[in-house]
Structure formats: structure tokens, C-alpha cells
Amino acid sequence: MNPSTPTSSKMTHVGSPSPSPPSKRMKHQSGIEVTKGCTILMTGLAKSGKTTISNSLTKMLKSNGILVKQMDGKYLRTGLCKKLDFDSKKDRSEFVRLASELAKTFTEEGFVSIISIVAPLHEDRQKARGSHEQDGLKFVDVFVDRSRAECDAESGLSRNVINPIDADYEPPTNPDVHLKRIGNNVDELTRHLASRLVENYSTAVRSTSVAVFSIHFFTHINSSFSLYSNAFALLNDVFV
């Protein structure tokens, strides 16, 4: 074997002309083939709770057999995007674009991709949505709405001076999901987000990934709230 030829790879290159590996088309526990996932962009002020809610949602999804990939702003800034100048408006916009394009590579493979970044500008968020929709990928804009006073209190800093990344934040006027963060209501917001995702998927595209996603979510939510009969009746209406 040619020693220069890698024997394994941790990344799948979308659009590669070489034969797809067995994991190229992934199957969930139900055995249904999944070809598309969705991207969730969680936007809000620094310290609004984006990462906390993302962690909670990821745990819920994984416990129900859903493929999830988290992309948190802190790790993107120190890794993939460490050469960007975050004092520059142009580079902050490029940061949103790179995070969005990275998410697409996982969403195309059936993952629920969760991006947790400030993404302060409406224009940048719309471009991220447009890039997904152009490629036929589902995009969900989630606004984690917490007052600046509460965010400042948690950080203990004057973030407009120390961390200007959200100084020019433009709150979404019509997000797909609006989560109002008050105190420590993360569990409540996670359940609300999960139910909205189920509702959104159940009334939208009926792809195989949607079916698996909805079935798992209904199972989880029903076990928590004893809504078995209504949930399965809705599933029958949507998918049968």
C-alpha cells in the first residue's frame, strides 16, 4: 500500500467523486435512511443562554437516537476562525458565514446541526438561511431573548466595552422560534423549542429525516407530558 495514502479519515468530503463509504447514508434505530437533517441557528446576546440551551437540546436529541452536531461560538473563534478579527464588522460577518457553511456539511448528511453564536446582524442571518434554502436544506432561526441587564449581571462585565461582539446586535423581528430567557428557565425553554421543532417539521416537508425526527420527538415529549393518544393521532394524520 502506498504509505502516502491515508488509511482512514474523520471527515466526509461532500461531493467527492470517490465511492461513498458505508456511513455516507446513515440510518437511525428505526432503519429508515436519512439523507437530510436541519440546521438550527441559536442567536442572541452574549450570555443569553444559547450554549446552555443547545447543550440541553443536544442531550435530549441524542437520547432519542438523533444525530446531532454542536457548533459553539467559543470553540469556533479559537479554532476554525481564530485568524478572524472580531473587532472588524466584515470578519464578524464572515464568522457567521463560515459557521453556517460548516453546519451545512453535517446537515447534508442527516445531522441536526446546532450553531450557537451571537450572529448580531439581520443581513448575515438571512444570508445563512438563503444559503441553506438554496441547497434544499431546512434552516431554523431561534432567538434566545434575554435582557442585556441579566446578561451583564451574569458576566459581571460591561460587555459593550470588554466584549463588543454583540454591541451592534439586531434582535430578530420574526424568528422561527422565540425563547424568552427569564432567570433559570432553561429546561422549560428546551421543551418549548423541542415542541416547536416537532410542530414545524410535522407541518412542513415529509422527508425521511423529518419522519424519524418527529417520531423520536413525539416519543420523548409524550413520555414527559402523557400525551400519547394525541401525538400518535397527529403522526397518523401527517405521515400515513
Side-chain angles (χ1 to χ4, degrees):
M1 178 168 51
N2 188 339
S4 65
T5 302
T7 57
S8 65
S9 174
K10 293 184 178 180
M11 295 193 67
T12 299
H13 296 280
V14 179
S16 173
S18 59
S20 298
S23 61
K24 181 72 174 180
R25 289 290 180 261
M26 293 165 286
K27 295 185 179 181
H28 291 289
Q29 295 169 356
S30 63
I32 299 176
E33 186 177 86
V34 175
T35 57
K36 291 183 182 179
C38 77
T39 294
I40 300 171
L41 172 62
M42 304 194 71
T43 175
L45 295 173
K47 294 295 182 181
S48 61
K50 301 180 297 297
T51 297
T52 304
I53 295 171
S54 173
N55 289 340
S56 182
L57 179 63
T58 296
K59 183 178 179 179
M60 179 187 292
L61 289 168
K62 286 185 175 180
S63 70
N64 285 278
I66 306 297
L67 294 167
V68 186
K69 181 62 178 179
Q70 282 182 280
M71 280 148 280
D72 186 75
K74 179 174 70 174
Y75 298 105
L76 290 172
R77 287 193 300 273
T78 58
L80 177 67
C81 305
K82 65 181 180 180
K83 292 187 177 181
L84 295 180
D85 177 8
F86 288 93
D87 289 330
S88 161
K89 180 179 178 180
K90 179 180 179 182
D91 277 11
R92 291 202 300 273
S93 293
E94 177 66 4
F95 177 62
V96 177
R97 189 192 71 82
L98 287 173
S100 171
E101 294 302 309
L102 176 62
K104 283 173 61 177
T105 65
F106 288 95
T107 298
E108 287 172 340
E109 298 300 320
F111 282 76
V112 174
S113 307
I114 307 175
I115 312 172
S116 305
I117 57 176
V118 173
L121 301 182
H122 173 74
E123 180 182 4
D124 294 338
R125 298 191 296 263
Q126 287 302 106
K127 285 181 178 178
R129 178 187 294 277
S131 177
H132 278 72
E133 292 179 348
Q134 181 177 330
D135 290 340
L137 299 173
K138 190 66 179 176
F139 183 90
V140 182
D141 183 12
V142 178
F143 177 30
V144 182
D145 184 4
R146 192 182 195 188
S147 71
R148 191 174 287 275
E150 281 197 50
C151 294
D152 285 342
E154 182 165 324
S155 66
L157 299 171
S158 177
R159 293 172 307 103
N160 280 334
V161 176
I162 304 299
N163 184 8
I165 194 169
D166 64 357
D168 55 353
Y169 190 77
E170 299 172 354
T173 56
N174 188 31
D176 296 315
V177 182
H178 188 166
L179 302 179
K180 183 66 176 177
R181 176 82 188 276
I182 302 174
N184 190 26
N185 62 338
V186 171
D187 289 343
E188 175 188 345
L189 294 181
T190 302
R191 290 194 296 269
H192 176 68
L193 175 55
S195 65
R196 286 299 306 274
L197 290 171
V198 171
E199 177 185 347
N200 183 61
Y201 270 94
S202 298
T203 56
V205 183
R206 300 181 184 183
S207 68
T208 54
S209 58
V210 171
V212 176
F213 186 80
S214 297
I215 289 169
H216 280 295
F217 257 116
F218 273 119
T219 301
H220 179 89
I221 293 173
N222 293 339
S223 63
S224 301
F225 298 100
S226 301
L227 298 175
Y228 290 102
S229 57
N230 291 338
F232 283 106
L234 179 57
L235 278 174
N236 285 332
D237 289 340
V238 174
F239 296 112
V240 176

